Amino acid sequence: MDDPTTLVSTDWLEAHLRDPDLRVLDASWYLPAMARDARAEYDARHIPGARFFDLDEISDSRSELPHMAPPIEKFMSRLRAMGVGDGHQVVIYDGAGIFSAPRVWWTFRLMGKTDVAVLDGGLPKWLAEGRPTEDLPPLIRDRHMTVQKQNQLVKDVTQVAAASKLGDHEIIDARAPGRFRGEEPEPRPGLRAGHIPGAKNVPIGTLMTAAGTLKPAAELKAIFEAAGVDLSKPAITSCGSGVTAAVLSLALQVIGHRDHSLYDGSWAEWGMYDDLKVAKG
């Protein structure tokens, strides 16, 4: 089911590709171990009309933590310069399938923008189906943008620590099981291994079909419940640095769970401070 506020299919996007108020964003971003250059890949080939959203650049440069949510003014100015503004339907994709695009979807929602969806299966599915691409930059026309930040969608370390202690939220961690259990080292140097006490582990790979699309809502719900997540509670999503946590946020939205927020600092922050408790196993 296509929903222009959460997830749309490749069929839906190609049918709407020439809509005057559609804006497509390539939000590809990769971990260093992936050895891929998102910008170079965009320049070589992208969905027609797509703009490149630089997840690291459109972030809070004042923070020592990676790609934290950008200040309102920076988000507005960067998106206006990309020709994205009020009244646009935005569709976001990435080159890994469903990996970094949900983080940009969440950022738009944080800024009060709800006419925004992730492309299910991303660029790999689009290419596999033989759909059109181009290597030309889009024609940009400045568009006014107004923003109303939704502070309830983001949590800081103090709020997450309180939630961990009180148990009044479900903290859901998207990292691989070995990292969650503290059996494998963190890719970022200097971070402790383990997870936030009380957190539940839902690795993002478990949410995907073999074709790289998000599983149906009923299956997603069953996966959260099998991991011990109480869906009657508000949820806080987390991961290594706040990117793949948004895949969990998207999945929660798809199953109709509306009371969820994202821990922006995620393990890059929690694993850094010795005075914060860490659980293993």
Side-chain angles (χ1 to χ4, degrees):
M1 295 292 289
D2 293 305
D3 178 359
T5 67
T6 51
L7 200 66
V8 295
S9 65
T10 49
D11 282 341
W12 186 97
L13 179 57
E14 188 166 14
H16 290 271
L17 209 48
R18 295 186 182 278
D19 290 3
D21 283 327
L22 178 78
R23 292 293 179 270
V24 182
L25 301 181
D26 182 327
S28 299
W29 174 90
Y30 304 109
L31 293 163
M34 293 174 167
R36 292 177 67 175
D37 185 328
R39 180 71 204 214
E41 290 183 18
Y42 165 83
D43 289 340
R45 179 173 61 180
H46 52 261
I47 292 175
R51 284 97 162 126
F52 184 72
F53 188 106
D54 189 332
L55 198 151
D56 283 324
E57 199 282 322
I58 307 176
S59 66
D60 188 352
S61 56
R62 303 166 300 183
S63 175
E64 295 179 359
L65 294 167
H67 39 253
M68 295 285 279
I72 286 175
E73 298 77 18
K74 185 174 188 178
F75 180 83
M76 289 173 63
S77 66
R78 295 296 190 273
L79 269 294
R80 284 189 64 174
M82 291 162 64
V84 180
D86 294 341
H88 282 146
Q89 169 66 52
V90 177
V91 175
I92 306 161
Y93 73 88
D94 66 62
I98 297 182
F99 182 67
S100 54
R103 169 69 191 201
V104 177
W105 168 85
W106 172 81
T107 304
F108 269 80
R109 293 181 63 82
L110 179 66
M111 299 298 171
K113 299 298 182 183
T114 56
D115 291 333
V116 54
V118 170
L119 179 63
D120 200 10
L123 188 61
K125 188 171 189 289
W126 185 271
L127 295 175
E129 294 166 348
R131 299 181 191 270
T133 60
E134 63 183 15
D135 59 3
L136 301 170
L139 293 171
I140 302 295
R141 294 183 179 86
D142 192 288
R143 179 82 164 237
H144 180 69
M145 173 176 274
T146 52
V147 165
Q148 191 168 12
K149 191 173 181 184
Q150 306 296 304
N151 290 306
Q152 76 279 8
L153 294 182
V154 64
K155 291 286 188 285
D156 62 23
V157 65
T158 304
Q159 293 168 310
V160 176
S164 172
K165 184 176 182 179
L166 295 172
D168 56 352
H169 289 67
E170 287 286 28
I171 301 170
I172 314 172
D173 192 321
R175 291 177 300 157
R179 289 173 63 192
F180 177 83
R181 293 193 295 260
E183 298 166 355
E184 297 173 6
E186 285 296 307
R188 287 180 176 79
L191 296 183
R192 298 171 297 162
H195 59 266
I196 300 166
K200 310 291 171 55
N201 188 207
V202 180
I204 61 166
T206 64
L207 305 176
M208 306 297 173
T209 67
T213 56
L214 209 60
K215 289 178 178 176
E219 291 183 38
L220 295 175
K221 185 171 183 286
I223 290 165
F224 282 113
E225 290 173 342
V229 176
D230 182 351
L231 292 171
S232 70
K233 288 184 177 181
I236 300 172
T237 61
S238 180
C239 62
S241 64
V243 174
T244 58
V247 179
L248 298 178
S249 302
L250 177 66
L252 288 168
Q253 192 74 14
V254 166
I255 67 173
H257 191 302
R258 297 291 181 258
D259 193 357
H260 57 84
S261 52
L262 184 147
Y263 175 23
D264 203 10
S266 283
W267 198 254
E269 181 175 42
W270 192 280
M272 185 171 54
Y273 293 115
D274 291 334
D275 57 337
L276 293 171
K277 291 182 179 179
V278 167
K280 294 191 176 185

